């Protein structure tokens, strides 16, 4: 399995069976080092919630690759009406897909999609976090969330290999709360996300990672657009 971070909350996961992308906010993401065109063929798009900085290029990628959009039921319905293949879920529920199991966890945040052109906010159900069980590894992507004490339970129920935790503050946990989250989750590796994309969420991710006693990894967005193929080969391989 190969896991590549592309700034904000964008995570590309290449498995033996499928290419997955979580929260593909790539166009307009100033930290993205590769564009939608650089993405391999995507089999499934996993969405934590409906905010535009997470939905991002979902429609473009889904239509290009006939990818399955996996998200909270209301958000899945919204994309289904656009002629996209969807699989709706809800918090606490899990499902065995061809590539592995996905379980949705709670997240304390909002969830809506802003249709900027219509000045309309579309309700998108509850926000979620994602637990992925793929090729014997357990990955937790917290989505956008505040700290919540049931992260202890998630840590007790799961042997988490990699946790992607927001540290940006303002809209989500800041570094101090994310540090506590990391302790409760007992993840072997923690990767900070959702920082530095916008002025309100500037943080020192290296300092956060360093504070985690070797468990935290600062994962820079991989690849540059001009050197994409080589960089993809160099992309962070976290399979061990
Ligand atoms: Ni959000
Ligand atoms: Mn966000």
């Amino acid at each position: 399995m190969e896991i590549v971070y592309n700034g904000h909350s964008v995570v590309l996961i290449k498995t033996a069976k499928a290419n997955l992308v979580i929260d593909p906010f790539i166009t307009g993401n100033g930290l993205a080092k590769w564009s939608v065109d650089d993405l391999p063929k995507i089999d499934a798009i996993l969405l934590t919630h409906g905010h535009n900085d997470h939905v991002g290029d979902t429609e473009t990628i889904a239509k290009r690759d006939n990818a399955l959009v996996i998200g909270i039921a209301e958000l899945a319905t919204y994309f289904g009406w656009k002629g996209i293949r969807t699989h709706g879920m809800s918090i606490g529920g899990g499902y065995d897909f061809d590539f592995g199991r996905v379980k949705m966890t709670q997240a304390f945040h909002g969830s809506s999609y802003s249709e900027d052109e219509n000045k309309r906010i579309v309700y998108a159900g509850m926000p979620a976090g994602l637990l992925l069980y793929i090729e014997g590894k357990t990955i937790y992507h917290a989505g956008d969330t505040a700290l919540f004490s049931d992260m202890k339970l998630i840590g007790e129920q799961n042997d988490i290999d990699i946790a992607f935790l927001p540290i940006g503050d303002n809209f989500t946990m800041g570094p101090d709360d994310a540090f506590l989250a990391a302790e409760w989750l007992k993840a072997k590796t923690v990767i900070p996300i959702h920082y530095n994309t916008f002025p309100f969420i500037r943080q020192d991710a290296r300092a956060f990672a360093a504070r985690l006693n070797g468990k935290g990894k600062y994962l820079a967005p991989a690849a540059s657009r001009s050197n994409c193929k080589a960089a993809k080969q160099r992309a962070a391989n976290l399979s061990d």
Side-chain angles (χ1 to χ4, degrees):
M1 192 191 321
E2 186 177 85
I3 298 176
V4 188
Y5 178 56
N6 196 29
H8 207 56
S9 297
V10 185
V11 178
L12 171 66
I13 302 174
K14 295 157 99 173
T15 76
K17 288 188 176 168
N19 294 321
L20 317 174
V21 65
I22 301 173
D23 288 357
F25 167 56
I26 299 170
T27 304
N29 170 358
L31 299 180
K33 296 293 188 197
W34 32 266
S35 71
V36 170
D37 289 343
D38 297 326
L39 275 176
K41 182 178 185 300
I42 296 297
D43 299 286
I45 300 164
L46 292 91
L47 298 176
T48 61
H49 64 295
H51 286 160
N52 298 45
D53 62 317
H54 296 259
V55 164
D57 299 292
T58 292
E59 186 171 350
T60 305
I61 299 165
K63 287 183 172 168
R64 183 191 76 177
D65 294 343
N66 192 29
L68 181 68
V69 172
I70 300 168
I72 286 287
E74 289 86 345
L75 194 53
T77 299
Y78 178 79
F79 281 107
W81 286 337
K82 292 174 180 284
I84 289 166
R85 290 196 305 127
T86 62
H87 184 111
M89 300 179 68
S90 264
I91 288 168
Y95 187 80
D96 294 310
F97 294 90
D98 286 346
F99 58 81
R101 182 169 177 81
V102 177
K103 184 178 179 185
M104 295 221 157
T105 70
Q106 67 183 24
F108 283 87
H109 192 65
S111 184
S112 58
Y113 182 72
S114 297
E115 292 182 340
D116 293 331
E117 65 280 15
N118 302 326
K119 291 189 177 165
R120 195 169 65 158
I121 290 179
V122 179
Y123 168 71
M126 296 279 281
L130 302 169
L131 276 164
L132 310 179
Y133 307 91
I134 302 171
E135 294 177 2
K137 300 289 179 186
T138 301
I139 300 165
Y140 174 55
H141 187 298
D144 280 1
T145 187
L147 179 68
F148 55 90
S149 56
D150 274 2
M151 284 180 179
K152 286 181 190 169
L153 186 61
I154 295 173
E156 279 169 22
Q157 287 184 325
N158 295 279
D159 184 13
I160 301 171
D161 293 289
I162 304 169
F164 291 92
L165 301 181
I167 65 160
D169 215 346
N170 195 77
F171 301 111
T172 68
M173 296 189 283
D176 289 345
D177 282 355
F179 184 78
L180 203 50
E183 293 206 317
W184 288 346
L185 291 161
K186 294 178 286 186
K188 295 187 185 81
T189 298
V190 173
I191 293 165
I193 59 171
H194 212 273
Y195 63 89
N196 287 359
T197 331
F198 313 118
F200 290 164
I201 59 172
R202 288 210 188 288
Q203 296 297 339
D204 185 345
R206 284 179 201 277
F208 172 77
R211 212 175 137 190
L212 277 167
N213 223 355
K215 284 186 179 172
K217 280 201 171 66
Y218 168 77
L219 197 63
S224 73
R225 285 183 195 186
S226 57
N227 190 19
C228 173
K229 269 197 186 137
K232 272 183 187 161
Q233 285 158 8
R234 286 200 310 271
N237 187 330
L238 297 173
S239 60
D240 56 5

